[in-house]
Every structure is written in C-alpha cells, then in structure tokens.
Amino acid sequence: MSNNRHYTFLAEVFQAAPINQRIFSGSELRLSEGSAEYRLAVREDFFHAAMAMHGAVYFKMLDDAAYFAAATLEQEYFIVTKSYEIHFVRPVTEGQLTARGTVIEAREGEWLAQSEIINEHGKVVGKGQGLFVRSRQRFSDIQGS
C-alpha cells in the first residue's frame, strides 16, 4: 500500500470511530510519515464542573496524535497504546486546539511517540509521551479496508 493510500485509510478509520462521530465530531486529522496533527474546537460539553476542559479530552487528543504518528509507520497491523504519560500545562476554556504527534523512536513492532497540544495563541496546554505496539489485528481484516 502506498504511503498516501495508507494515510487516507488511517484518516478514514479515525473519522469512522463512533467516539469521533458522536463526541468529537468536527475534528480533523492530517498525517505524514512519523507525524500527525489533530485539530479540535473546544466545546462546553468537554468541560468538568469548574468549567475548563476535562483531562479525558487532553488524553484523547494527545494519545490520538501520538498514536496516528506511529500508525503511519505500520502498514500491516493495527497498533495499540501500551502506555501514555500526560503533563497538564494550562487549563483550556475556549478556542481551537491542535495536537501534534511525532515518532521519536521506532523498533520492530514498537514505537515511542510524543505529542503536545497547542492553543490558538501558540501556547502549549498539554504534552506527553507514549509507547505503542503492534496488535494481532491486521488492517486487511477491518471491514471496508
């Protein structure tokens, strides 16, 4: 499979996920070799009781950006998150966010990737790093692939 075709497939998988269709609708994913960019507009339904973005949304954005950066380098199997560590930098209450993920180390069947979320003012609001590993599920076994 060519890289562009693989990136298109991954973007379609991302958009087809029920969580992205129902909860994180309107999100955008762009891919290139070893990197990913995930954009999302902040909405009040992402907030905790203190009216700032819930940590679960930080995790979703950071994990997805790092995950899809790693997935660009694996064309046969789905990968899964083995571990991910988050550092919350500042609260978010509005605006457009961009999470950028980059693979920093690749070994056979294992990828270390980092990501950060930037607000519309260019400030880092969260960052992290995770380990991603090859699963047993082949892309070819996914319906529609």
Side-chain angles (χ1 to χ4, degrees):
M1 176 181 319
S2 73
N3 282 350
N4 286 339
R5 190 167 154 222
H6 182 57
Y7 302 160
T8 298
F9 171 76
L10 290 173
E12 289 171 355
V13 166
F14 172 82
Q15 291 298 338
I19 192 169
N20 291 329
Q21 290 182 356
R22 296 186 188 119
I23 299 171
F24 295 96
S25 61
S27 57
E28 299 174 30
L29 181 69
R30 294 173 193 220
L31 304 169
S32 59
E33 186 172 346
S35 66
E37 185 175 279
Y38 174 19
R39 293 180 184 207
L40 183 67
V42 177
R43 300 190 320 250
E44 283 188 12
D45 55 339
F46 296 160
F47 292 178
H48 51 59
M51 299 308 290
M53 192 168 77
H54 193 282
V57 181
Y58 285 81
F59 174 77
K60 166 93 167 81
M61 291 190 73
L62 291 165
D63 179 60
D64 279 357
Y67 171 91
F68 280 98
T72 65
L73 303 177
E74 172 58 51
Q75 296 201 13
E76 191 173 344
Y77 292 92
F78 266 105
I79 64 171
V80 294
T81 305
K82 184 173 184 179
S83 63
Y84 196 91
E85 183 178 336
I86 296 174
H87 299 278
F88 299 98
V89 177
R90 60 179 39 90
V92 173
T93 58
E94 64 183 358
Q96 180 80 22
L97 300 175
T98 302
R100 293 186 180 106
T102 307
V103 173
I104 55 177
E105 186 177 334
R107 295 186 292 263
E108 181 62 33
E110 189 174 277
W111 299 267
L112 182 64
Q114 63 188 15
S115 55
E116 63 183 8
I117 303 171
I118 310 293
N119 67 17
E120 61 192 26
H121 305 291
K123 303 272 188 185
V124 174
V125 300
K127 58 187 175 179
Q129 181 173 297
L131 184 62
F132 303 87
V133 296
R134 187 180 291 145
S135 76
R136 295 181 185 157
Q137 187 170 19
R138 293 178 181 272
F139 285 130
S140 60
D141 295 336
I142 302 304
Q143 185 176 17
S145 65

